[in-house]
């Protein structure tokens, strides 16, 4: 991934020069754009006009090796990048993402951002950075020419300090996103629960408090559901509790202020267990820990930008394997809440893990709200596809806040219903509930299962569940997400906190 | 349908008397209190002893007609296998009394046409009220919707060897007696209209495809509201044949068309001022020498070409042509289509809500609101850019569905239909999960639900009868 720097405007003598232009701005070039146009004797302006470049959203025109008058050294490539009529941070972010492949072949690039408001300039770089993510740890034979070349992107601006202060929090969020994407991309033989927990332990260097609980501790806490899922694997399960204490104010104020809580499903590989999955596509199940990765990434982002909030992130880390010691369909397990569950399908394991972790989270932290993230059901993909994650909530305010936050960071949510009739589908003949409610409304009944572990007996507990099975991984390049792990949830939760829960 | 008589007092006979009791009002009946009856919605208590059966049915704290309807349904069910029962609506507002009876009538319906007479469900209801004159007009209105719903149920219950495409049309033509005009397009006219989707889907069957057009003129001079219904009398899946298990349920694949027909009957029976038209695409999807194939390219009524991927995704093809026909021939102010369209919507929403898709926020909100009023609940679902992209074809204007695993097929289908709705405000109701009740509910026994007929009728009543609107 390239370094991002902020520099005074000057025509580069090599590499790429990028001209981000709003619709209409291509007719009156200013700043570096005007400078390069003048240096080429007006050739740049003519070339843009000839190419029909209008600055429209998604539009770009590349001019190779523009000849400078007098044979002076100049950029080897010029890219005009359309920002559309309304130059918003969202538009800039998408344009920055779309820019990356256009300049990936250069070592250096200068973005002429003098005309852009500082937040827009920073967002352009942010989009580019997010798109430049690459997971190549396991490539050993890649040819030099196939590797990405872009090392440095300089944002040319006259307001460097303003752009930098807009940039700092975005950079922190990008680090959170990348941390999550790395975790999701890692193969399951490497990233087992123990390794996952160790990597989270490493976040202490960023100012997070991290506790790791092993099977012994969880047994003491009565985590029968989580441990039941883990019992078929040679890898020991973990629960990791991350805390970020960034809220401002005196001790008394801090004591009154409860933390916000994020809970993630971290099944490092999901074979389905005894209810084993079909072989086709099973390799995807390495990303069945994307909820936990998003929670970890969010915590890192909050710490990285010193967010003024107290937040806790809890993840349940297990591997779901079939073996001689594995959980069976028909088993009844006792959850930490005391409720019993008849395990009908061992492949509906995520909710069992979440049940114990959510209960623990509420008991220990009495948070302001709880949001859980999980690649929970195939049914949510059949319901919504890959453009929206499913949102289930017992609280309209929290649901609206999440939906709005998701919209503004291109991590869209779609609200799905809850209702007593769906909850009834979980009725068991032998225990308090079954772990599946049948095919009809499969994502809804999964949400209801989780909701049964959100305790509202002593007052409301705002809770939302994000089913991210369809959005954790992309098979197509998206504007700010290259093919692969998306890190879905990090930006969304960070934005939720920034908009509503800081200060 | 249950025969209803309005009376000021119960008959002097041994027919059971059902009394609705609001929550907190149970103190009048010590026997019930002793049994733990508090009047909660759906709760039932029966007085023990040899005297005339007295059945209390809890109604909670009813505020809306739907809650009275549900109480009526529970009361009817509690009475069991009797010929006649009385519902005590004395002290209730006329609207509540009528709703009570409507609920009982909905719950009483059974499909009896195809079996020898057996255990009797109630056939007669005495509604005991303070003022029959005040209740009568309310009942007339409620009854219209009930009859519409029951027509839909009758049609859905009819087996596919009896309810062929021709027979379906014949039954629709019988609606003329209520003032509905019925026009039926056969193969020749379908060809002239270029409705290649409907013709292809119906091609493999010995029963020919039909487009039935039902019109209710109303009394307001305005463009009509249009109901579009999927009417697959039976759906084998065609060449992409379905697995055998559960295939018998596919006789209900015309539930969308049945609901539209039921709504038209309701409008006619209550002399709605709103003009309405129903365009019903009726066909049978069979495997045959003239069946359409995966890979075929069809030219649709609007001139667009469609690559067939799966002959079992036939509903969207017939609906597309019906939508186009309705949009161009009637220039309606709004179009709603109802269809048992996808298994994906069952996976998404189960049996408790139908999927709601569309292009017009106001119409979507109105449809959802009408659904809440009658207890036929909808949930909004997305049509995303990606859903449309997934339908790109290498050879035609679009594919009929996508291929792969975990497909959001309900959204794909909606994205497909949107291409044929033109500029008319449009909503699509995927009712695949709600057309049949797997177990008895307050307003219906196990079997066809008639979902949609009452919803459409209520939608018109709430939003399309205001003359000021036009």
């Amino acid at each position: 991934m390239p370094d991002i720097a902020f520099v005074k405007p000057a025509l580069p003598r090599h590499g790429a020069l990028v001209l981000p232009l709003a619709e209409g701005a291509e007719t009156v070039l200013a700043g570096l754009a005007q400078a390069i146009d003048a240096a080429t004797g007006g050739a740049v302006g003519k070339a843009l006009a000839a190419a029909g470049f209008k600055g429209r959203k998604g539009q770009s025109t590349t001019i190779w090796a523009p000849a400078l008058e007098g044979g002076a050294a100049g950029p080897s490539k010029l890219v005009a990048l359309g920002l559309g009529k309304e130059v918003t941070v969202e538009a800039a972010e998408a344009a920055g993402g779309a820019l990356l492949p256009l300049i990936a072949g250069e070592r250096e690039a200068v973005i002429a951002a003098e005309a852009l408001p500082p937040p827009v300039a920073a967002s352009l770089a942010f989009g580019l950075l997010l798109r430049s993510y690459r997971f190549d740890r396991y490539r050993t034979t890649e040819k030099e020419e196939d590797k990405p070349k872009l090392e440095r992107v300089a944002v040319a601006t006259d307001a460097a300090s303003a752009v930098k202060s807009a940039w700092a929090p975005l950079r922190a969020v990008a680090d959170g996103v990348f941390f999550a994407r790395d975790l999701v991309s890692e193969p399951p033989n490497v990233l087992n629960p123990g390794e996952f927990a160790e990597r989270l332990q490493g976040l202490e260097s960023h100012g997070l408090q991290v506790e790791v609980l092993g099977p012994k501790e969880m047994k003491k806490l009565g985590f029968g559901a989580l441990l039941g899922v883990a019992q078929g694997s040679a890898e020991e399960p973990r629960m990791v509790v991350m805390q970020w204490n960034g809220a401002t104010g005196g001790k008394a104020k801090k004591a009154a202020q409860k933390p916000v809580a994020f809970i993630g499903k971290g099944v490092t590989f999901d074979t389905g267990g005894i209810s084993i999955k079909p072989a086709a596509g099973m390799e995807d199940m390495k990303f069945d820990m994307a909820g936990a990765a998003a929670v970890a990434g969010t915590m890192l982002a909050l710490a990285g930008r010193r967010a003024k909030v107290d937040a806790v992130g809890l993840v349940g880390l297990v591997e779901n394997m079939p073996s001689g010691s594995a959980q069976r369909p028909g088993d009844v397990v006792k959850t930490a809440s005391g409720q019993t569950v008849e395990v009908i399908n061992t492949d509906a394991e995520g909710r069992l893990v979440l049940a114990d972790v959510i209960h623990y989270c509420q008991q220990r932290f009495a948070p302001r709200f709880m949001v859980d993230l999980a690649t929970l059901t195939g049914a949510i993909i059949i319901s919504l596809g890959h453009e929206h994650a499913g949102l289930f909530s017992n609280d309209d305010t929290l649901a609206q806040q999440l939906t709005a936050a998701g919209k503004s960071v291109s991590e869209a949510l779609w609200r799905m219903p809850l209702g007593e009739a769906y909850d009834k589908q979980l009725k068991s003949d032998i225990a308090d509930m079954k772990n599946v409610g049948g095919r009809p409304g499969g994502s809804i009944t999964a949400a209801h299962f989780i909701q049964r572990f959100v305790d509202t007996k002593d007052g409301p507990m705002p809770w939302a569940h994000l089913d991210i099975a369809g959005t954790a991984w992309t098979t197509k390049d998206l504007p700010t997400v290259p093919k692969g792990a998306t890190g879905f949830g990090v930006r969304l939760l960070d934005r939720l906190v920034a908009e509503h829960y800081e200060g | 349908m249950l025969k209803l008589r309005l009376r000021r007092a119960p008959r002097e006979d041994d027919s059971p008397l059902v009394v609705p009791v609001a929550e907190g009002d149970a103190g009048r009946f010590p026997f019930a209190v002793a049994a733990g009856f508090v009047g909660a919605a759906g709760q039932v208590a029966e007085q023990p002893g040899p005297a005339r059966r007295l059945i209390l049915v809890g109604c909670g704290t009813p505020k809306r007609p739907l809650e009275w309807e549900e109480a009526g349904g529970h009361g009817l069910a509690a009475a069991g296998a009797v010929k006649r029962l009385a519902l005590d609506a004395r002290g209730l507002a006329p609207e509540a009394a009528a709703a009570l009876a409507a609920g009982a009538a909905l719950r009483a319906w059974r499909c009896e046409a195809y079996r020898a007479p057996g255990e009797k469900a109630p056939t007669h209801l005495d509604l005991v009220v303070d003022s029959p004159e005040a209740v009568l007009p309310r009942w007339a209105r409620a009854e219209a919707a009930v009859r519409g719903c029951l027509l839909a149920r009758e049609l859905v219950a009819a087996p596919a060897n009896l309810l062929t495409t021709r027979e379906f049309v014949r039954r629709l033509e019988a609606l003329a007696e209520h003032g509905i005009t019925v026009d039926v397009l056969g193969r020749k006219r379908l060809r002239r209209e270029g409705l290649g989707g409907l013709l292809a889907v119906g091609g493999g069957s010995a029963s020919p495809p039909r487009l039935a057009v039902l019109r209710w003129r109303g009394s307001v001079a305005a463009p009509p509201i249009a109901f579009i219904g999927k009417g697959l009398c039976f759906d084998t899946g065609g060449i992409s044949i379905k697995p055998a298990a559960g295939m018998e349920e596919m006789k209900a694949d015309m539930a969308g068309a049945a609901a539209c027909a039921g709504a038209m009957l309701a409008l006619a029976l209550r002399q709605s001022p709103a003009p309405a038209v129903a365009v019903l695409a009726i066909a049978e999807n069979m495997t045959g020498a003239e069946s359409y194939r995966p890979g075929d390219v069809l030219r649709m009524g609007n001139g667009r070409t469609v690559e067939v991927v799966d002959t079992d995704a036939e509903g969207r093809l017939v609906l597309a042509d019906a939508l186009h026909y309705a949009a161009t021939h009637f220039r309606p102010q709004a179009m709603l289509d109802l269809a048992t369209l996808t298994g994906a919507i069952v996976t998404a929403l189960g049996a408790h809500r139908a999927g709601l898709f569309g292009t017009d926020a106001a119409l979507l909100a109105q449809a959802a609101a009408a659904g809440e009023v009658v207890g036929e609940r909808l949930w909004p679902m997305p049509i995303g850019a990606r859903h449309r992209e997934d339908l790109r074809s290498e050879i035609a204007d679009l594919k009929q569905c996508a291929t792969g695993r975990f497909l959001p097929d309900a959204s794909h289908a909606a994205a497909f239909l949107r291409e044929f709705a033109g500029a008319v405000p449009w909503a699509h109701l995927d009712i695949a999960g709600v057309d049949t009740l797997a177990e008895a509910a307050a307003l219906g026994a196990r079997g066809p639900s008639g979902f949609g007929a009452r919803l459409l009728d209520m939608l018109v009543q709430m939003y399309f009868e205001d003359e000021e609107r036009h």
Side-chain angles (χ1 to χ4, degrees), chain A residues 12 33 127 163 188-189 203 233 253 271 358 411 413-414 433 478 496:
Chain A
V163 179
N189 58 333
L203 295 179
S233 171
K253 192 180 166 201
T271 62
I358 282 182
E411 294 184 345
L413 303 176
W414 190 272
M433 70 198 86
L478 305 174
L496 173 76

Side-chain angles (χ1 to χ4, degrees), chain A residues 280-281 284 378-379 381-388 414-418 421-422 425 439-444 475-476, chain B residues 343-353 379-387 389-390 405-411:
Chain A
D284 286 353
I381 314 177
I382 295 170
S383 305
L384 300 175
H386 302 282
E387 282 172 297
H388 294 92
W414 190 272
R415 187 138 186 214
M416 295 285 286
L418 294 167
Y422 296 106
Q425 290 177 227
R439 183 179 78 95
S443 303
I444 304 173
T475 55
K476 291 183 181 180
Chain B
I345 204 67
V346 186
T347 300
L349 298 174
H352 311 301
R353 285 180 184 270
W379 189 264
M381 294 291 283
I383 307 177
R386 179 81 177 270
H387 296 134
E389 274 169 37
D390 291 345
R405 297 191 308 144
F406 294 114
L407 293 172
D409 189 45
S411 291

Side-chain angles (χ1 to χ4, degrees), chain A residues 19-27 53-60 80-96 98 115-117 120 124:
Chain A
L19 310 177
L21 296 168
E23 208 166 324
E26 83 284 356
T27 56
F53 180 82
K54 300 273 187 228
R56 280 195 289 265
K57 210 184 218 173
Q59 203 181 17
S60 68
L81 188 66
L83 296 178
K85 265 195 196 114
E86 279 176 62
V87 183
T88 59
V89 293
E90 287 86 2
E93 197 182 290
L116 303 180
V120 171
L124 187 71

Side-chain angles (χ1 to χ4, degrees), chain B residues 40-348:
Chain B
Q43 213 181 8
V44 170
E46 184 161 348
Q47 186 171 32
R52 174 183 193 159
R53 288 178 70 199
L54 175 64
I55 301 166
L56 308 184
V57 57
C59 358
T61 45
K63 293 182 195 76
R64 307 184 300 150
L66 175 62
E67 287 148 340
W68 289 110
E69 287 173 358
E70 287 174 348
H74 287 304
L76 184 287
V82 294
K83 186 164 171 282
R84 175 192 302 278
L85 75 153
L87 261 174
D88 192 349
R90 284 172 292 190
L92 301 184
E95 193 182 22
L100 209 55
L106 286 168
R107 181 59 189 266
W109 180 85
R110 302 277 188 287
C111 179
E112 302 285 9
Y114 311 108
R115 63 169 129 211
E119 191 182 80
K120 277 279 173 264
T123 52
H124 292 73
L125 173 69
D126 293 332
L127 186 65
V128 186
V129 297
D130 298 323
S131 161
E133 303 74 30
V135 173
L136 193 60
R138 303 283 185 170
W139 166 246
R141 184 163 259 230
E143 185 192 16
V146 170
R147 293 182 83 99
C149 177
L150 299 188
L151 169 67
R153 288 183 187 174
E154 291 286 356
L155 289 167
V156 174
N161 58 332
L162 301 180
L163 195 86
T164 60
T165 57
R166 287 192 179 92
E167 171 64 11
F168 195 171
V169 165
R170 197 193 60 72
R171 293 207 197 176
L172 295 174
E173 281 166 340
L175 296 177
E177 67 167 299
H178 301 288
I180 295 169
T181 52
V182 183
D183 178 28
V184 177
L185 285 74
R187 272 208 172 102
K188 206 186 270 176
R189 284 176 68 196
L190 293 177
R191 278 198 206 100
R192 206 181 305 145
E193 294 285 343
L195 302 188
L198 178 55
L199 283 164
V201 170
S205 170
S207 296
R210 297 283 186 255
L211 191 75
V213 180
L214 280 53
R215 297 197 72 177
W216 171 249
R217 294 203 173 274
S219 54
V220 179
I225 180 172
F227 309 141
I228 320 299
K230 170 183 173 185
L232 265 288
C233 290
F234 195 78
D235 178 17
T236 63
I239 297 297
S240 313
I241 198 164
K242 291 177 187 287
M247 204 203 277
E248 70 281 3
E249 292 168 14
M250 285 303 114
K251 72 169 185 177
D253 210 18
M254 33 57 74
C260 294
M264 294 298 286
L265 174 61
L267 297 183
L269 287 174
R270 64 180 182 77
Q271 295 289 306
S272 166
V277 56
V279 178
L280 312 180
I282 296 168
E284 187 179 40
N285 188 18
M286 294 294 273
T287 55
E290 296 195 51
S291 290
Y292 74 131
R293 288 153 292 251
D296 283 3
V297 173
L298 311 177
R299 187 171 294 279
M300 308 291 287
N302 70 348
R304 311 274 304 264
T305 55
V306 172
E307 180 187 6
V308 176
V309 171
D310 180 342
T311 63
D312 194 19
E314 83 298 331
R316 63 199 73 180
L317 295 172
V318 304
L319 281 174
D321 275 346
L323 282 167
H324 169 73
Y325 186 89
T328 50
H329 283 72
F330 301 104
R331 309 211 170 278
Q333 49 179 310
M335 292 197 290
L336 296 99
D337 76 70
L338 276 77
T340 48
L341 206 60
T342 66
I345 204 67
V346 186
T347 300

